[in-house]
Amino acid sequence: AARSGPSGPPRLPHPPRGVLFDIDGVFFVGDTAIPGGADVIAWADAARIPYLFVTNTTSHPRSYLAAKLAGFGVHADPERILTPAVAAHEWLTAQDRTPVALFVPEATAAEFGDLQRAPQDAESGAAAVVVGDLGEEWSFATLNRAFRLLTAEPRPTLVALGMARAWKDDDGLTLDSGPFTQL
């Protein structure tokens, strides 16, 4: 069991080999910092415990997340942030699945920078169709294009960056990309 010292983080019986830190809901909620976040990172750095930030957000790239964390006093190198887009990029590269058709916000598309992309108006010819949270950018034409790409021969691989049906926004539940990836 962990024991707390007079002040500061708990003393652990065995130091961890590494830590995964979720971002949203752990270091901030919306535009509000959660107290102690910077202290936890300082503790991990001082204890030389390797760590990685992880998130399931598909609407923002690592650079945005690093800047947001920095605004709350938490230093996060973008290379130490794992997002679904980063994982998808690595998988697509390893599987040699190009060209890709991206259905993600423009800022998130930058995470796929070096992959060959299908033309913006293509309705066939993609080796993979990547779907993330486009928010207000979803339209019938966009959904129909994704559908046509996915039903074209040869069939491309569907890469869903998230499977959640909804997420809680400041104004209530908001539709996420999960429902768009279920055929």
Side-chain angles (χ1 to χ4, degrees), residues 32-140:
T32 304
I34 294 177
D39 295 334
V40 170
I41 298 304
W43 166 77
D45 285 338
R48 297 184 178 182
I49 298 171
Y51 58 88
L52 186 68
F53 295 95
V54 296
T55 183
N56 64 350
T57 188
T58 65
S59 56
H60 298 294
R62 293 176 292 176
S63 58
Y64 171 89
L65 296 168
K68 186 167 184 174
L69 285 165
F72 299 131
V74 176
H75 173 74
D77 182 338
E79 295 299 315
R80 292 176 83 175
I81 299 175
L82 179 61
T83 68
V86 172
H89 175 273
E90 293 299 317
W91 186 84
L92 290 163
T93 300
Q95 298 298 312
D96 194 25
R97 299 282 168 97
T98 60
V100 298
L102 299 176
F103 292 86
V104 298
E106 192 60 39
T108 302
E111 301 285 14
F112 296 90
D114 62 341
L115 292 180
Q116 178 190 0
R117 296 191 195 168
Q120 197 68 6
D121 59 349
E123 293 186 352
S124 65
V129 175
V130 179
V131 177
D133 181 13
L134 273 175
E136 296 292 325
E137 293 179 46
W138 283 115
S139 66
F140 177 80

